[in-house]
Amino acid sequence: MIALPRPSRRQKQGLLALTFVLLMAFPLVGGSQADIDIIANACAYAALALGLNIVVGFAGLLDLGYAAFFAIGAYSYGVLNSFQLQPHWSPFWQPFASLGLVAKLGIGAAATVHFTVSFWLMLPVSAAIAALFGVAFGAPTLRLKGDYLAIVTLGFGEIVPIVARNWPALTNGAAGLNGIGPPKLFGWSFGVDATPYYYVGIALVAFLLLVAWRLKASRIGRAWMAIREDAVAAQAMGIHTSRLKLIAFATGAAFAGVTGAFYIAKLQTATPDMFDLPVSIMVLVMIVLGGLGSVWGAIFGAVALEILQAWLLPALNGTTQALGQAVGSGFLRTLDLTSASELIFGIILVVMMLYRRDGLVPAARSGVTLAFEQQDAPISHGGSNMPILGLSHHLTPLAVAAPLAVAVPAVPAILSVRDLSVGFGGIRALKSLSLDVPEGGIVAVIGPNGSGKSTLFNAITGLVTPQSGRVDFAGRALIGRRPDQILALGVARTFQNIRLFPHLSVIENVLIGQHAHLRAGPFGILCNTPRTRAEERRAREFAAEILAIFGNRLVPRLEQNVSDLSYANRRRVEIARALAARPRLLLLDEPTAGMNPAESHELAGQIAAFRTLGLTILIIEHKLDVVTLLSDRVIVLDQGERLAEGTAAAVRADPAVIAAYIGRRPADV
Ligand code: ADP
Ligand code: MG
């Protein structure tokens, strides 16, 4: 595996500035028209790659028909700035003519309309039209996952060029649109000179790069990556997954749309075969080569493949053919490598998948190595030796910052479950279960494996739909709400088999927990307004504050990928992520599983301290010493029913519990 060195921030800025100067100067210092044209094409591919990277790389939605949106943007400009549509002139068109959108051709009754919508206007309009198609196509299909989505998008990618071939009135069929008007700037027409397109292409890529970059670092980008990593956990952490997938799809489509307008303005023609499947595949290979989810990787991949196609293959052709002459091989003499580019793309895809899945410019940072002292540092407790006092020192700011902790109407129980029944096919996981959790209490749920404990959590948080029964939280019915809505009401959870977002850092995971509380919209994110920046800064501070609850366990590891953490630390990050959602009710599913006794007790002390924040806790726990230490009340489940309820001591002494659970302990725990 090749390990590329990671440049520092200053090196990156220097490199960027140098590239920019070289690019600006290239046409001026006598770059040939052909080379300038190749770079302008590379810009179009880079723009496409940046867009597809949002869909596939950020949000993890495998789109095999991306060129469809490229086509839609292209034809939008082509139709609105060519002689393709020529309706009869009528006074209706007069206002459009005064705006310069159309011109009158001919005179009298034979006069027709010539569409002349400006290129500059069509750049955003093509993007918007493609985005609209993205929404229209995505809304019904984005519920599909993985392979199914790939197949449906493949179909869409086929359909659009077919429609273009078979709708001659609009597209001039297979012959393609001709006479598409070139862009004009202050009356000067770009014509067929490659140089102005070159500069527009660079500006376009620079703009889209900035957009992709800002989005990635925002709450929207983090939500996309959360969906990519684990859609169920993303939804449970408050992300409206179907809406955010749609936004990703529409944004990617908009990138392709604007690129389509640029690309065919440059060619001044558009034919359906410019948008066939190989184009979608080529853009996909570009982002795989660069590294899925990596913004620079997308550009790198696009430029590398364009260089390969436009410069390397023709040069190699010359060499192999000369070699063929020399050794008298007919095969080598006639070999045309440029026509084998699809084969080469396929080989690149296979090689990347086998040897370097992260791409050549990977998105994920390499783990920060901790110094030995940091690894082994004792847990800090804010200057106190008393764990709980130390914690409350850390925890106070959390309570102050929590807007959800407002006074509630006096309810007997913050959570009440009534006659809840959940079944999976023939299995009845919960049978008419009822229980109450008082506000501010810590209630433990214990029971043998398979007794329905996790199913209870899933039903409360909206991940499974019960057959019957009610769940009320702070006076509101939860059944029928989506998981993200339930989180927004103030119920956060952890999972028995840790569901973090593995390729994201500790701090990113905790930031995603705050998703429901962050407000930055697309405008604020793109313009990086002071308000957005302030919100991000506060969110980071809050995340760091929460992580400090666990002392030195996580603080030195903020930037590490969670997949690099120990099992116990991953559990801690998951609890921190849930706390970041500022819940009123916290559901912990076996939080100490996989921890040694010392770690379990440390965590139990920390959980007990959450109570000082006014948090109510429902905890599934197998370790009876932890249960005894923590809980006011214990509910014992067996085969989906409540077997017993009471204090830990009372439950431990209950003969029925001993028979069902404690008696079987060695086998079950
Ligand atoms: P616990 O958490 O108490 O160990 P669970 O709630 O995970 O138990 O499971 C209760 C029962 O429901 C088990 O028999 C389990 O196999 C079944 N079950 C849980 N989730 C599903 C599911 N998604 N599909 C089918 N069966 C399930
Ligand atoms: Mg379970």
Side-chain angles (χ1 to χ4, degrees):
M1 185 120 151
I2 332 144
L4 298 177
R6 298 212 132 242
S8 75
R9 196 185 163 82
R10 284 197 57 168
Q11 283 171 323
K12 272 188 202 163
Q13 284 170 346
L15 201 67
L16 200 62
L18 183 70
T19 315
F20 184 75
V21 170
L22 288 179
L23 280 174
M24 286 297 112
F26 183 66
L28 306 176
V29 297
S32 77
Q33 276 285 308
D35 288 344
I36 291 171
D37 188 59
I38 287 170
I39 298 177
N41 281 340
C43 288
Y45 293 136
L48 288 176
L50 282 170
L52 187 62
N53 188 44
I54 288 179
V55 182
V56 185
F58 292 178
L61 305 166
L62 184 50
D63 180 355
L64 294 182
Y66 186 61
F69 301 112
F70 185 36
I72 288 168
Y75 275 99
S76 301
Y77 176 58
V79 168
L80 291 176
N81 195 331
S82 70
F83 295 90
Q84 181 60 30
L85 294 185
Q86 296 195 28
H88 281 291
W89 179 266
S90 67
F92 168 80
W93 295 103
Q94 194 54 51
F96 297 100
S98 13
L99 288 171
L101 300 176
V102 301
K104 188 177 179 184
L105 282 188
I107 41 165
T112 56
V113 179
H114 170 207
F115 285 91
T116 56
V117 186
S118 145
F119 170 73
W120 308 107
L121 178 62
M122 279 313 288
L123 285 177
V125 171
S126 295
I129 294 173
L132 273 181
F133 273 89
V135 170
F137 173 70
T141 55
L142 285 176
R143 278 176 297 116
L144 299 170
K145 293 194 182 80
D147 311 351
Y148 299 104
L149 183 66
I151 291 167
V152 176
T153 52
L154 189 67
F156 185 64
E158 287 295 293
I159 289 168
V160 169
I162 290 174
V163 169
R165 274 188 189 94
N166 292 288
W167 194 350
L170 187 71
T171 64
N172 202 26
L177 285 173
N178 285 310
I180 296 168
K184 291 195 185 77
L185 201 58
F186 307 116
W188 169 66
S189 169
F190 281 19
V192 290
D193 182 4
T195 311
Y197 297 102
Y198 170 95
Y199 285 114
V200 173
I202 289 173
L204 181 68
V205 172
F207 172 70
L208 296 181
L209 179 72
L210 185 74
V211 173
W213 197 250
R214 292 242 162 109
L215 280 172
K216 188 181 180 185
S218 74
R219 68 186 275 268
I220 295 181
R222 284 193 299 264
W224 285 337
M225 292 186 279
I227 294 171
R228 174 192 75 198
E229 298 285 304
D230 187 333
V232 172
Q235 203 177 18
M237 288 324 298
I239 294 166
H240 190 328
T241 47
S242 42
R243 181 191 297 162
L244 273 140
K245 283 188 202 174
L246 207 54
I247 296 175
F249 214 62
T251 310
F255 276 45
V258 66
T259 312
F262 165 71
Y263 191 67
I264 65 148
K266 183 169 149 308
L267 291 179
Q268 289 160 30
T269 170
T271 55
D273 51 316
M274 284 159 51
F275 310 102
D276 278 338
L277 180 66
V279 178
S280 297
I281 302 297
M282 180 182 69
V283 182
L284 195 65
V285 175
M286 287 170 177
I287 62 173
V288 169
L289 180 67
L292 285 175
S294 159
V295 174
W296 287 113
I299 293 186
F300 176 84
V303 171
L305 284 202
E306 175 65 12
I307 289 176
L308 176 79
Q309 286 190 87
W311 281 325
L312 286 185
L313 290 186
L316 273 179
N317 256 353
T319 317
T320 49
Q321 283 162 12
L323 193 69
Q325 289 282 10
V327 300
S329 154
F331 171 71
L332 283 182
R333 213 166 37 220
T334 54
L335 185 66
D336 180 11
L337 285 171
T338 45
S339 65
S341 56
E342 278 164 41
L343 174 70
I344 294 171
F345 292 165
I347 294 171
I348 291 176
L349 209 51
V350 171
V351 170
M352 293 307 292
M353 285 297 114
L354 284 178
Y355 298 108
R356 208 180 159 94
R357 276 194 208 168
D358 291 345
L360 296 178
V361 191
R365 78 231 84 226
S366 49
V368 191
T369 330
L370 296 185
F372 184 69
E373 308 82 70
Q374 282 176 312
Q375 300 264 9
D376 231 27
I379 312 141
S380 78
H381 290 303
S384 161
N385 289 330
M386 288 284 293
I388 300 200
L389 284 182
L391 280 170
S392 45
H393 164 81
H394 280 300
L395 291 176
T396 341
L398 184 69
V400 173
L404 285 178
V406 285
V408 262
V411 281
I414 193 166
L415 180 78
S416 96
V417 174
R418 288 288 167 273
D419 301 319
L420 191 67
S421 295
V422 178
F424 302 99
I427 300 167
R428 292 182 63 205
L430 291 179
K431 299 169 197 158
S432 205
L433 179 72
S434 298
L435 57 89
D436 285 316
V437 179
E439 175 143 36
I442 300 186
V443 175
V445 179
I446 65 170
N449 285 334
S451 56
K453 305 180 299 293
S454 297
T455 303
L456 171 66
F457 276 22
N458 290 343
I460 295 171
T461 53
L463 293 178
V464 301
T465 313
Q467 267 83 46
S468 61
R470 288 186 64 82
V471 176
D472 291 298
F473 170 71
R476 289 199 180 91
L478 296 188
I479 307 290
R481 292 185 203 258
R482 289 190 317 269
D484 53 295
Q485 295 172 320
I486 292 172
L487 178 116
L489 289 178
V491 183
R493 69 170 293 172
T494 65
F495 292 86
Q496 180 176 351
N497 41 356
I498 311 180
R499 299 189 82 149
L500 287 169
F501 307 117
H503 296 101
L504 301 181
S505 67
V506 170
I507 190 114
E508 281 170 322
N509 268 273
V510 179
L511 283 170
I512 289 166
Q514 296 183 55
H515 180 84
H517 289 277
L518 302 180
R519 291 283 160 266
F523 178 79
I525 290 168
L526 295 189
C527 302
N528 202 19
T529 55
R531 205 172 152 163
T532 307
R533 268 179 295 171
E535 182 182 80
E536 272 295 299
R537 203 186 52 242
R538 275 198 308 274
R540 280 179 187 273
E541 284 166 6
F542 186 53
E545 228 164 72
I546 290 174
L547 288 164
I549 290 174
F550 300 102
N552 260 11
R553 300 279 190 195
L554 298 171
V555 171
R557 297 176 167 83
L558 295 188
E559 300 298 332
Q560 258 183 346
N561 274 358
V562 292
S563 56
D564 297 339
L565 297 180
S566 71
Y567 192 77
N569 269 341
R570 273 185 262 167
R571 287 240 174 253
R572 295 186 183 106
V573 175
E574 209 192 13
I575 296 172
R577 184 181 69 180
L579 285 176
R582 305 174 191 205
R584 288 171 62 193
L585 173 65
L586 182 62
L587 307 178
L588 299 171
D589 197 342
E590 305 197 18
T592 69
M595 291 190 179
N596 65 33
E599 288 173 329
S600 300
H601 276 102
E602 179 192 321
L603 185 63
Q606 288 157 346
I607 293 171
F610 296 162
R611 198 207 295 256
T612 59
L613 310 176
L615 258 168
T616 306
I617 295 168
L618 188 60
I619 176 173
I620 298 174
E621 185 51 70
H622 272 304
K623 293 175 185 158
L624 287 184
D625 47 345
V626 172
V627 170
T628 312
L629 194 78
L630 266 180
S631 52
D632 326 314
R633 208 136 60 92
V634 180
I635 296 169
V636 187
L637 288 192
D638 188 31
Q639 298 183 21
E641 289 175 307
R642 188 173 54 179
L643 188 65
E645 181 171 351
T647 61
V651 162
R652 279 177 106 152
D654 189 321
V657 176
I658 294 171
Y661 179 49
I662 304 174
R664 300 206 305 248
R665 197 173 162 189
D668 277 319
V669 180

